[in-house]
Short mmCIF file of all heavy atoms in Angstrom, two decimals:
data_model
loop_
_atom_site.label_atom_id
_atom_site.label_comp_id
_atom_site.label_asym_id
_atom_site.label_seq_id
_atom_site.Cartn_x
_atom_site.Cartn_y
_atom_site.Cartn_z
N HIS B 78 20.96 1.28 24.28
CA HIS B 78 19.53 1.50 24.39
C HIS B 78 19.01 0.85 25.69
O HIS B 78 17.80 0.86 26.01
CB HIS B 78 18.77 0.80 23.16
CG HIS B 78 19.41 1.14 21.85
ND1 HIS B 78 20.55 0.71 21.38
CD2 HIS B 78 18.82 1.92 20.92
CE1 HIS B 78 20.73 1.15 20.14
NE2 HIS B 78 19.72 2.00 19.79
N ARG B 101 15.04 -4.23 18.26
CA ARG B 101 16.25 -4.05 19.05
C ARG B 101 16.10 -4.40 20.54
O ARG B 101 16.98 -4.41 21.33
CB ARG B 101 16.74 -2.57 18.91
CG ARG B 101 18.26 -2.39 19.04
CD ARG B 101 18.68 -0.98 18.70
NE ARG B 101 18.59 -0.56 17.34
CZ ARG B 101 19.46 -0.94 16.42
NH1 ARG B 101 20.43 -1.83 16.75
NH2 ARG B 101 19.43 -0.57 15.13
N GLY B 171 11.67 3.41 16.55
CA GLY B 171 12.86 4.27 16.32
C GLY B 171 12.58 5.65 15.86
O GLY B 171 11.50 5.93 15.32
N ASP B 172 13.61 6.51 15.90
CA ASP B 172 13.50 7.79 15.25
C ASP B 172 13.19 7.62 13.73
O ASP B 172 12.41 8.32 13.21
CB ASP B 172 14.83 8.58 15.48
CG ASP B 172 16.04 7.70 15.11
OD1 ASP B 172 16.25 6.68 15.95
OD2 ASP B 172 16.73 7.97 14.22
N GLY B 173 13.75 6.65 13.17
CA GLY B 173 13.46 6.44 11.80
C GLY B 173 12.16 5.94 11.47
O GLY B 173 11.41 6.51 10.50
N VAL B 199 12.46 5.49 20.67
CA VAL B 199 13.78 5.41 21.09
C VAL B 199 14.56 6.11 20.01
O VAL B 199 14.89 5.54 18.91
CB VAL B 199 14.25 3.98 21.41
CG1 VAL B 199 15.71 3.92 21.80
CG2 VAL B 199 13.28 3.23 22.30
N ASN B 200 14.90 7.37 20.39
CA ASN B 200 15.66 8.08 19.34
C ASN B 200 17.23 7.88 19.66
O ASN B 200 17.88 8.47 20.53
CB ASN B 200 15.44 9.66 19.52
CG ASN B 200 16.43 10.40 18.59
OD1 ASN B 200 17.11 9.89 17.86
ND2 ASN B 200 16.31 11.84 18.94
N ASN B 201 17.78 7.00 18.73
CA ASN B 201 19.21 6.63 18.98
C ASN B 201 20.04 7.33 18.01
O ASN B 201 21.17 7.02 17.71
CB ASN B 201 19.53 5.15 18.85
CG ASN B 201 19.10 4.62 17.46
OD1 ASN B 201 18.76 5.39 16.59
ND2 ASN B 201 19.12 3.41 17.28
N GLN B 202 19.52 8.49 17.39
CA GLN B 202 20.24 9.36 16.57
C GLN B 202 20.47 8.84 15.11
O GLN B 202 20.87 9.61 14.23
CB GLN B 202 21.57 9.82 17.12
CG GLN B 202 21.55 10.18 18.61
CD GLN B 202 20.49 11.42 18.90
OE1 GLN B 202 20.27 12.27 18.12
NE2 GLN B 202 19.92 11.31 20.13
N TRP B 203 20.29 7.62 14.91
CA TRP B 203 20.40 7.06 13.62
C TRP B 203 19.35 6.11 13.16
O TRP B 203 18.71 5.48 13.99
CB TRP B 203 21.72 6.23 13.62
CG TRP B 203 23.03 7.05 13.84
CD1 TRP B 203 23.62 7.33 15.04
CD2 TRP B 203 23.55 7.86 12.94
NE1 TRP B 203 24.64 8.12 14.87
CE2 TRP B 203 24.73 8.48 13.62
CE3 TRP B 203 23.52 8.15 11.49
CZ2 TRP B 203 25.60 9.48 12.91
CZ3 TRP B 203 24.32 8.98 10.85
CH2 TRP B 203 25.41 9.62 11.53
N ALA B 204 19.13 6.21 11.86
CA ALA B 204 18.27 5.15 11.29
C ALA B 204 19.18 4.57 10.12
O ALA B 204 19.37 5.22 9.10
CB ALA B 204 16.99 5.75 10.48
N ILE B 205 19.79 3.52 10.44
CA ILE B 205 20.88 2.87 9.70
C ILE B 205 21.74 4.11 9.49
O ILE B 205 22.41 4.44 10.60
CB ILE B 205 20.46 2.25 8.36
CG1 ILE B 205 19.43 1.16 8.65
CG2 ILE B 205 21.73 1.56 7.70
CD1 ILE B 205 19.02 0.35 7.40
N ARG B 266 23.01 5.19 19.56
CA ARG B 266 23.31 3.80 19.17
C ARG B 266 24.83 3.68 19.27
O ARG B 266 25.70 4.18 18.52
CB ARG B 266 22.94 3.73 17.70
CG ARG B 266 22.80 2.20 17.36
CD ARG B 266 22.57 2.10 15.83
NE ARG B 266 23.68 2.31 15.02
CZ ARG B 266 23.73 2.65 13.66
NH1 ARG B 266 22.60 2.78 13.03
NH2 ARG B 266 24.82 2.95 13.19
MG1 MG E 816 17.14 5.03 15.21
#
Side-chain angles (χ1 to χ4, degrees):
Chain B
H78 309 73
R101 209 175 284 288
D172 45 296
V199 181
N200 171 9
N201 65 0
Q202 316 302 328
W203 294 99
I205 308 185
R266 197 188 75 200

